[in-house]
Amino acid sequence: MTAIDPTEPINLALLPCTAEVSSDGSLTIGGVDLIALAKEFGTPLFVYDEEHLRLRCRQAVTSWGEGVAYGTKAFLCKEMAKLAYQEGMWLDVATGGELYVALAAGVPADHIKMHGNNKSLEELQMALHPGVGKAGVGRIVVDSFDEIRRLEELLKAPGTLRTDQPQPVMLRVTPGIDAHTHSHVMTGQEDTKFGFSIASGAAVQAVEKLMDIKDLNLVGIHVHIGSQILELEAFVKTIEALADFFIHLDLGELCIGGGLGVAYLNSEIPLVSDMSTWADALKQTCKKVGISDKVKLTAEPGRAIVAQAAVTLYKVGTIKKLGQPRTYVAVDGGMSDNPRPILYGSEYEAFLPRAVLSDRRERARVVGKHCESGDVLVHDGYLPQDIEVGDILAIPVTGAYGYSMASNYNKQPKAAVVFVKDKQARLVLKRESYEDLLRLEQ
Ligand code: LLP
């Protein structure tokens, strides 16, 4: 991290691509004024810049080519699924629920990739039969010997496959690489619940088993080493580590998974690598280690597509000026709409959309409304000194793993989500109501 004065205004490079500062110093995204949006739709509110989402999907497709998949766990709803598909991406889903939403959005099954380290029989059945008369999903990424047994069991039933083509599968392997990221989102090391270890020989055994099942077609190898990775080195090492194993198998596809990180803070801006730098570096590594350029190299970015596309708007409810060490600013959401700070110690910036270019001289901790001290959104931040109760406060870079990991803790209804574009806002996910909180009650 470079030393940057934390009291400086928010760096506009953290904001969605259509963000603009108006002549009165307030912020618009997609040509829509954020304060007006908060008034119309209430708070907390996730505001996604549709142009930014589309641009990032297009960059993914240009950089990686056909088959690059959006990691839907970062943020999924029908509109997001449609958008990613319209822009040429496949969808990576990790559960029956994600598969269900992607299909409900009208994404064709052959553009869906089914992940999961513990896919149930029902989930595998959904992947093989995603709907009446439909052939299976584009790829099932096989993760365990138990899953292979379940697939065999399902495939024994006559008529399981809706075409005479075998179901395409990939094998997820662990290369024994420690990516420099939070331990909760590190997945490439040997000591992991994911995939088959190359070093132990489990991966070769799994390949042999899959090749023996005539209704499955092993098309490639998959690897995912972790998330929020801000340097290319770990990805490069991954390809180097699995090169011998991969070349020997003579398969046509290699997927490097997701993981490309994004900047969350003013001080992180210079560290970020973009989609094409990521893809180019890995293509070059493949060349260097002797992986044929005929092999389809793909990826599954999630965060890099959606994180910077959104800001979350909150209303300030209480301000406690403690003097030293800081002021506490409480907003009307918190760990229920963004659990990343409490889960991973993630850090964010905050700013006032009414005064985007203002210096932020008030040392402040932005906290939520939940009954825990850990319910923090910005641990050690700065805000303009004239902040008041009733102000709309924005936290940028909240498009990934915020709404998708939201909860109803303290029976807080889920926030609403809008997409903005060309001066219009459209509601894509309604705010939950108190009645919604009772919908499962018997
Ligand atoms: N592919 C696979 C197999 C994955 O497991 C993941 C993320 C992705 C792709 C997308 O990764 P991305 O490009 O978004 O890094 N909740 C955590 C992140 C968990 C990532 C889980 N897997 C967070 O908020 O940081």
Side-chain angles (χ1 to χ4, degrees):
M1 272 190 220
T2 38
I4 275 191
D5 178 358
T7 67
E8 277 181 6
I10 187 78
N11 188 329
L12 301 182
L14 291 174
L15 303 182
C17 69
T18 69
E20 271 182 17
V21 183
S22 309
S23 52
D24 65 355
S26 66
L27 192 71
T28 63
I29 298 180
V32 182
D33 177 64
L34 292 189
I35 310 285
L37 268 181
K39 252 191 210 131
E40 183 179 352
F41 295 99
T43 50
L45 181 68
F46 286 86
V47 181
Y48 281 83
D49 180 352
E50 189 170 333
E51 201 44 53
H52 188 113
L53 292 171
R54 291 188 183 277
L55 185 74
R56 296 299 278 159
C57 291
R58 287 199 289 269
Q59 286 169 349
V61 174
T62 314
S63 306
W64 291 99
E66 152 70 17
V68 60
Y70 165 56
T72 63
K73 65 213 79 181
F75 171 60
L76 180 62
C77 62
K78 289 201 309 187
E79 283 306 305
M80 183 62 217
K82 267 188 224 166
L83 184 154
Y85 172 64
Q86 281 166 359
E87 296 299 342
M89 294 190 84
W90 282 42
L91 268 69
D92 141 13
V93 299
T95 62
E98 288 178 354
L99 175 58
Y100 185 81
V101 174
L103 291 168
V107 176
D110 63 1
H111 277 62
I112 298 179
K113 220 167 158 182
M114 180 75 180
H115 273 282
N117 71 300
N118 178 17
K119 302 177 192 75
S120 66
L121 209 51
E122 292 71 25
E123 285 173 320
L124 288 171
Q125 201 153 21
M126 263 175 99
L128 293 167
H129 292 267
V132 180
K134 287 192 182 147
V137 294
R139 302 282 181 273
I140 295 176
V141 184
V142 174
D143 198 289
S144 67
F145 289 112
D146 292 306
E147 179 178 344
I148 298 177
R149 273 191 288 278
R150 275 175 216 151
L151 279 168
E152 269 184 303
E153 188 182 320
L154 283 169
L155 289 165
K156 267 188 216 141
T160 293
L161 292 173
R162 293 296 152 107
T163 64
D164 50 11
Q165 299 298 317
Q167 167 67 46
V169 297
M170 298 181 84
L171 187 81
R172 178 160 176 174
V173 301
T174 42
I177 294 287
D178 293 357
H180 294 158
T181 188
H182 193 284
S183 61
H184 291 185
V185 295
M186 214 165 93
T187 50
Q189 70 281 17
E190 284 294 325
D191 186 4
T192 177
K193 68 172 181 169
F194 294 105
F196 295 90
S197 151
I198 296 179
S200 74
V204 168
Q205 241 182 305
V207 166
E208 283 164 4
K209 273 194 185 302
L210 288 174
M211 284 183 165
D212 275 353
I213 303 175
K214 76 169 183 10
D215 285 331
L216 297 180
N217 176 18
L218 178 63
V219 295
I221 294 297
H222 179 282
V223 63
H224 169 80
I225 55 169
S227 198
Q228 183 55 11
I229 300 170
L230 284 164
E231 43 185 56
L232 296 173
E233 194 194 347
F235 293 111
V236 168
K237 279 194 179 152
T238 298
I239 296 209
E240 290 170 353
L242 55 73
D244 284 352
F245 167 78
F246 182 75
I247 293 168
H248 179 73
L249 296 176
D250 199 19
L251 296 172
E253 284 180 32
L254 176 60
C255 179
I256 191 72
L260 181 66
V262 302
Y264 283 88
L265 304 173
N266 279 6
S267 55
E268 284 176 321
I269 292 285
L271 285 182
V272 180
S273 42
D274 63 30
M275 202 76 73
S276 62
T277 315
W278 186 39
D280 290 348
L282 297 192
K283 281 179 205 163
Q284 270 174 29
T285 310
C286 281
K287 204 171 181 180
K288 203 178 89 199
V289 298
I291 295 177
S292 157
D293 58 6
K294 302 223 167 51
V295 167
K296 184 153 113 182
L297 183 67
T298 57
E300 296 161 345
R303 188 189 316 266
I305 302 286
V306 293
Q308 292 184 335
V311 303
T312 310
L313 301 180
Y314 301 94
K315 193 178 214 166
V316 173
T318 65
I319 299 179
K320 290 186 183 163
K321 297 214 176 212
L322 300 189
Q324 285 306 320
R326 73 187 97 247
T327 291
Y328 276 76
V329 173
V331 297
D332 52 357
M335 60 189 282
S336 55
D337 56 76
N338 186 357
R340 298 194 68 255
I342 201 166
L343 282 176
Y344 318 117
S346 308
E347 295 185 67
Y348 288 87
E349 302 271 352
F351 66 98
L352 299 181
R354 68 167 163 80
V356 193
L357 304 178
S358 281
D359 279 345
R360 299 173 297 166
R361 301 206 169 275
E362 188 74 30
R363 185 170 182 208
R365 180 163 291 167
V366 181
V367 296
K369 61 180 293 174
H370 297 279
C371 305
E372 305 206 12
S373 295
D375 173 29
V376 168
L377 290 167
V378 180
H379 193 254
D380 193 10
Y382 288 84
L383 283 163
Q385 275 175 324
D386 65 350
I387 184 169
E388 295 180 331
V389 167
D391 261 333
I392 298 302
L393 178 146
I395 301 201
V397 204
T398 50
Y401 303 109
Y403 193 91
S404 69
M405 296 201 297
S407 75
N408 287 122
Y409 183 42
N410 290 143
K411 288 284 179 250
Q412 169 83 348
K414 294 234 174 87
V417 180
V418 292
F419 279 12
V420 290
K421 185 176 189 263
D422 298 336
K423 302 192 174 157
Q424 303 285 324
R426 61 188 175 113
L427 187 63
V428 299
L429 288 164
K430 273 200 301 195
R431 181 175 305 288
E432 260 183 342
S433 64
Y434 287 142
E435 299 84 80
D436 289 332
L437 298 176
L438 295 176
R439 79 181 184 278
L440 305 176
E441 300 273 350
Q442 298 298 302

